[in-house]
């Protein structure tokens, strides 16, 4: 009565490696309740299919880049990390207390090549953020770049084709925020 042998097959798929990582091992505590997805503003806007992965939403942004085998890890799913606004809602509602914003930041650092052991490495993303910083530090450069963006309609070149295939391009405002505020003040003073 009953089986003579029991065979138990455990599918690891890189989870033991995740468990040994002191920075990311809390990822494995996830119970897949979906609370992080329900409170994520990005997920609510774009939905699960836009992630193109088995695990969508904030937990998918953390799990998928860490899985090395079928998921192809960071090389295929590293871009998911950029879909987060880091507002912290997912971490606040997690019933098991996973600090998802912290984990996403950790993986972003690894993706960019910044770690405490290897120092800083070259990356296009780092250069883009440095340029962004300089533009926003200097009002004249900022105003000039926004005027150029309005007149040249650079959005069609900046936005990836994958995004443009299923969505319409954003239309820049006719007036910049500064121009709108000046106009509003002028109308208010009259």
């Amino acid at each position: 009565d009953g089986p003579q042998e029991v065979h138990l097959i455990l599918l690891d798929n890189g989870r033991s490696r995740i468990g040994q990582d002191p920075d990311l091992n809390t990822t494995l505590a996830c119970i897949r309740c979906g609370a992080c997805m329900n409170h994520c503003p990005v997920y609510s806007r774009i939905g699960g299919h836009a992630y193109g992965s088995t695990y969508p939403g904030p937990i998918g942004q953390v799990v998928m880049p860490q899985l090395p085998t079928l998921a192809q890890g960071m090389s295929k799913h590293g871009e998911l990390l950029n879909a987060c606004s880091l507002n912290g809602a997912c971490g606040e509602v997690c019933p098991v207390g996973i600090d998802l914003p912290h984990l996403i930041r950790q993986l972003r650092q690894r993706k960019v090549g910044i770690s405490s052991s290897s120092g800083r490495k070259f990356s296009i993303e780092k250069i883009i953020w440095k340029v962004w910083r300089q533009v926003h530090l200097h009002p004249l450069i900022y105003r000039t770049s926004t005027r150029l963006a309005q007149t040249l309609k650079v959005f069609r070149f900046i936005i990836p084709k994958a995004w443009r295939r299923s969505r319409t391009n954003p239309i820049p405002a006719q007036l910049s925020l500064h121009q709108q505020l000046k106009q509003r003040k002028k109308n208010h003073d009259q």
Side-chain angles (χ1 to χ4, degrees):
D1 291 26
Q4 298 297 319
E5 295 180 15
V6 174
H7 299 274
L8 178 63
I9 300 172
L10 297 176
L11 202 54
D12 182 56
N13 197 19
R15 284 172 172 79
S16 60
R17 186 180 49 81
I18 297 170
Q20 293 171 357
D21 189 326
D23 295 329
L24 304 172
N25 62 7
T26 56
T27 306
L28 300 176
C30 180
I31 58 174
R32 308 288 186 263
C33 66
C36 59
M37 289 182 258
N38 291 334
H39 290 81
C40 176
V42 176
Y43 182 84
S44 67
R45 286 281 192 188
I46 66 174
H49 295 294
Y51 286 83
S53 64
T54 307
Y55 301 111
I59 192 64
Q61 291 173 337
V62 174
V63 171
M64 294 307 289
Q66 294 183 72
L67 299 178
T69 54
L70 295 175
Q72 298 165 346
M74 191 68 79
S75 63
K76 183 175 180 186
H77 296 287
E79 290 302 315
L80 289 175
L81 298 167
N82 297 332
C84 179
S85 66
L86 292 174
N87 63 5
C90 56
E92 289 178 15
V93 299
C94 180
V96 292
I98 300 172
D99 189 359
L100 287 165
H102 173 73
L103 295 175
I104 291 169
R105 280 192 304 274
Q106 288 286 324
L107 286 167
R108 279 182 178 180
Q109 287 177 345
R110 291 181 185 190
K111 178 182 162 238
V112 172
I114 301 171
S115 69
S116 57
S117 61
S118 64
R120 297 184 179 265
K121 296 180 182 175
F122 170 80
S123 81
I124 298 294
E125 186 174 353
K126 202 162 112 177
I127 292 169
I128 290 170
W129 282 113
K130 283 186 179 189
V131 169
W132 182 90
R133 181 179 184 272
Q134 290 303 315
V135 166
H136 286 79
L137 279 174
H138 301 90
L140 181 64
I141 297 172
Y142 176 79
R143 281 189 225 110
T144 305
S145 64
T146 55
R147 282 190 199 114
L148 281 172
Q150 286 174 320
T151 57
L152 299 176
K153 299 183 183 359
V154 295
F155 288 111
R156 72 182 125 181
F157 303 112
I158 294 173
I159 299 173
K161 285 183 183 179
W163 177 270
R164 289 184 278 156
R165 254 186 259 128
S166 60
R167 295 169 180 84
T168 57
N169 284 339
I171 299 169
Q174 295 297 320
L175 299 173
S176 70
L177 177 62
H178 292 277
Q179 293 167 335
Q180 290 178 30
L181 290 174
K182 281 181 186 177
Q183 189 175 33
R184 182 180 286 177
K185 185 178 180 195
K186 183 180 165 185
N187 291 342
H188 186 269
D189 290 342
Q190 291 177 355

